[in-house]
Amino acid sequence: MPFDVNYIEKGSIEKPALIFLHGIGGDSHSWDFQLESFSDEYRTISWDMPGYGKSKTVNPMTFEKLSDSLLNLMDYLRIEQAHLVGHSMGGMVAQQAMAVSEARFKSATLSATSPAFGKPDGDFQKNFIKARLQPLEDGLTMGDLAKKQVPNMVGDKPDPRGLDLAYTSMSRVSPDTFTASMHCLVTFDRRDNLNSIKIPTLLVSGDRDTNAPATMMEKMASKIPGSTYVCIAGAGHLSNMERPGEFDLVLRNFLQNIK
């Protein structure tokens, strides 16, 4: 691999770049539907976040280092500006990158994410990490964990193909990377930057999402000047996989209005 970050790329390099960032239980294939459906109009790129897939890890894992990796990938691919789409933890990486270098992005789409997780040493955060990691300490594999967690992350009548993507992607995550990601997640807080965001921003939630509730995301949208908020009825936390047609329509409508 000629670069520290592995990625999938489709579409012509002459077209506008559209970069997808997955969440904790995902990888570059989490965006397979979108890589295909948008490659006719965009240069679509989906990375393996550092530590995932074939990408080298960053140690310790921090949002600053993850953001740097994204910007370095853009430099490597000679992309001056890109449309950015981030899901869950990927949406947090997107927010960090925007805070550091907003000029590198034409737009941002934040799906099922949050502007902050709270204090990393708080009781809620400690209990959150313990609950997520205890199954691994009890001897479960990531495949076992996927079977337990994915059904609780989706909404009504999810696309079976999307479920397969979610199960497969989560099963491939290494326990060490999953653990590092959880500890990184609870450090996130970019609430300070919300009202400073100047690029077109879309926020997408699912009304069945209990990880990034629609009410929280709507409030987040109200803090970003001129942002667009869309809630997909019946969708859970994985709307781009469980409702790819609806998610793609929302994203396409948003992007088509950006000059």
Side-chain angles (χ1 to χ4, degrees), residues 1 3-7 28 48-49 51-57:
M1 185 173 62
F3 187 65
D4 288 348
V5 175
N6 185 59
Y7 58 92
S28 55
D48 285 326
M49 190 162 69
Y52 289 74
K54 297 179 181 179
S55 292
K56 293 183 180 179
T57 191

Side-chain angles (χ1 to χ4, degrees), residues 136-208:
L136 296 179
E137 294 176 7
D138 291 341
L140 268 65
T141 66
M142 286 300 299
D144 296 329
L145 200 61
K147 292 177 182 178
K148 290 173 64 72
Q149 290 194 3
V150 170
N152 297 323
M153 297 171 70
V154 297
D156 303 334
K157 299 179 180 179
D159 189 316
R161 300 170 302 162
L163 283 180
D164 286 342
L165 275 182
Y167 283 123
T168 302
S169 293
M170 191 169 188
S171 297
R172 285 193 289 243
V173 179
S174 78
D176 287 345
T177 291
F178 187 76
T179 299
S181 298
M182 283 294 172
H183 285 284
C184 178
L185 178 70
V186 299
T187 69
F188 185 69
D189 191 340
R190 288 293 354 191
R191 288 174 292 186
D192 63 316
N193 192 57
L194 293 181
N195 62 10
S196 299
I197 296 173
K198 296 180 176 61
I199 60 174
T201 304
L202 167 67
L203 292 91
V204 183
S205 69
D207 70 355
R208 298 291 189 270

Side-chain angles (χ1 to χ4, degrees), residues 10-12 15 18 34-44 252:
K10 294 184 182 294
S12 169
K15 295 176 180 177
L18 178 58
Q34 288 71 39
L35 286 169
E36 289 292 343
S37 62
F38 287 92
S39 62
D40 56 338
E41 298 180 58
Y42 298 90
R43 177 187 184 185
T44 57
R252 193 178 300 277

